[in-house]
Amino acid sequence: MTACAIEPSAADEDDSAPRAGCTITADGAYAARLAQQEGSWYPERWTLDGPEPYAVPLPGNQPEEPGTEVQPMGDGRVLIHRLVDGRHHFALLYPTGPGTGELPLGAVECPDAGTSLRLLPPAPGGGDACALAVGPRSSVVWLVAGGAFGPERLAVVPGRCSGGVWLDRGGRMLALDRELGGRTKAVVVDLERGGEVSPLLQIAADSDDRLLVADPDSGLILVGSDAPSPGQERLGWGVLGSTLPVRFPESLRLAECTVTPFAIQPGLVLMPESCGVALRIDGPLGSWVGVWRPRARGVCHLPAPEGWLAGAGLWTQDGVLRLPYATGEVPCGVAEVAVSWGETGEHGGPGDAGPGDPVRDGTAAGASGTPGEPAEPDPPEPVVARPVPLQQAPLGRLVTK
């Protein structure tokens, strides 16, 4: 049993983004979710890289708690995180004929029930899995699957951390959003150098700057920051290693909606402005899907497939957006959307906000706030200090110039 060397804290209130309906491996081969049948919860693994998707239930000896975390591994097994009597237990699940095999991995002991510990997004390669434990003054990154002798402490980071984005294909560089001194800034944790911490985002001295998603191939990142609109977070984009500041397109500012990026099109080296970005949009009309890319003038709004596991999905390298869904008739399905970028505002059509440069002084032309609404003229952009260029972050070596 490994002791959790952090101070107790409230539950993970810093991670305010809506939770996805399932978790997908970095290569898109497998997914896992907590499914429900007749009031009982159980883990379920989806295979996504075959001729057609299929699900394998992995029930244990008793139903799981609703908050139990599951995560697919690269070999098809499913990592499960259970909280039992203040201890965070981890195990790998796998199908064994009609039953479910379980390989215990050990536990992290957090005696106080208020201590927060959650799984980080699937690591590249799929062989390891990490978790983040958060205290009021420090946070700990744990290796909970892939180690030789149970959970291993990889890094201790001063401050309260949230988020979690992998910045490379090797699973070495992890970005976290750290709250320290009353401000939240994205930092980079080098897991192969004893958890060395270095700054990533410093858009303005008094702004809160979070990293939401990143693509290691192109270097494209989506950030959330209140630098351009103090007190109100806005979505912006930048490129790791670039000399240009973060830009905040008006097209990503949707009235009365929460916009959460969840996937970036991979493989477009040296072409960050051409990468498709998938958005989960939550508003008064429910949840739907948006697609956007930096060179576009607006967001293209798409209806989500029935039963969409909201916030889950991935792009293929050739630009097809795959969205997992489950209904009574199709318990395991994937809807594929081939986006025609000529219809997302670049050459007219839905989402077009009018002629002109899609990015002007750090903002872009407006887009409709809800599906079907006509676009409105851009409001005046507030004057803000020039953000610190991203080349000042110690990540230039990770992206192709």
Side-chain angles (χ1 to χ4, degrees), residues 21-374:
C22 73
T23 303
I24 305 175
T25 55
D27 63 1
Y30 296 101
R33 68 170 185 146
L34 205 61
Q36 187 179 26
Q37 185 175 23
E38 297 179 353
S40 296
W41 295 92
Y42 62 92
E44 187 176 74
R45 185 199 70 192
W46 289 28
T47 299
L48 303 177
D49 61 351
E52 61 182 43
Y54 65 92
V56 176
L58 296 170
N61 295 326
Q62 61 185 33
E64 305 292 345
E65 294 295 323
T68 299
E69 290 187 297
V70 293
Q71 185 173 114
M73 304 295 291
D75 59 6
R77 293 183 292 182
V78 171
L79 174 69
I80 188 166
H81 166 211
R82 302 181 178 108
L83 178 60
V84 181
D85 296 330
R87 296 175 177 176
H88 297 265
H89 294 261
F90 300 90
L92 290 173
L93 308 179
Y94 53 92
T96 56
T100 300
E102 182 168 327
L103 175 63
L105 299 176
V108 174
E109 184 174 1
C110 298
D112 191 287
T115 299
S116 166
L117 188 148
R118 63 173 177 82
L119 294 175
L120 287 167
D128 299 337
C130 294
L132 179 67
V134 183
R137 288 182 289 273
S138 65
S139 303
V140 181
V141 179
W142 291 90
L143 178 69
V144 295
F149 304 103
E152 300 176 13
R153 187 185 309 169
L154 298 181
V156 179
V157 182
R160 290 177 52 83
C161 292
S162 58
V165 176
W166 297 100
L167 298 177
D168 64 339
R169 295 295 184 191
R172 170 180 176 176
M173 309 300 285
L174 174 67
L176 296 172
D177 302 321
R178 178 175 67 172
E179 180 190 343
L180 194 64
R183 292 295 174 190
T184 299
K185 302 288 185 182
V187 298
V188 183
V189 182
D190 189 335
L191 299 181
E192 292 187 5
R193 298 189 63 177
E196 180 181 275
V197 179
S198 52
L200 173 61
L201 290 177
Q202 176 71 26
I203 298 178
D206 58 351
S207 62
D208 292 320
D209 310 317
R210 302 185 301 121
L211 181 65
L212 304 179
V213 290
D215 174 57
D217 297 329
S218 64
L220 177 65
I221 63 172
L222 272 290
V223 307
S225 174
D226 62 357
S229 303
Q232 180 183 9
E233 183 176 272
R234 290 184 55 183
L235 291 183
W237 69 277
V239 181
L240 292 174
S242 171
T243 59
L244 295 175
V246 174
R247 302 180 181 185
F248 295 89
E250 192 65 28
S251 57
L252 294 178
R253 197 177 188 181
L254 307 182
E256 300 183 3
C257 293
T258 300
V259 182
T260 308
F262 63 88
I264 298 179
Q265 183 180 354
L268 300 184
V269 179
L270 298 177
M271 300 175 64
E273 294 191 5
S274 297
C275 292
V277 179
L279 309 169
R280 171 180 175 173
I281 305 175
D282 297 283
L285 302 180
S287 299
W288 64 94
V289 180
V291 292
W292 172 87
R293 62 178 177 176
R295 64 182 294 180
R297 294 176 186 157
V299 174
C300 179
H301 298 270
L302 306 171
E306 181 185 357
W308 179 40
L309 304 181
L314 70 153
W315 289 92
T316 65
Q317 189 166 331
D318 55 359
V320 176
L321 180 60
R322 309 189 74 207
L323 302 171
Y325 68 92
T327 66
E329 295 73 24
V330 183
C332 176
V334 175
E336 296 192 346
V337 181
V339 177
S340 174
W341 289 109
E343 298 177 359
T344 61
E346 292 183 38
H347 306 291
D352 189 14
D357 186 344
V359 178
R360 301 190 297 272
D361 299 327
T363 62
S368 58
T370 56
E373 274 192 10

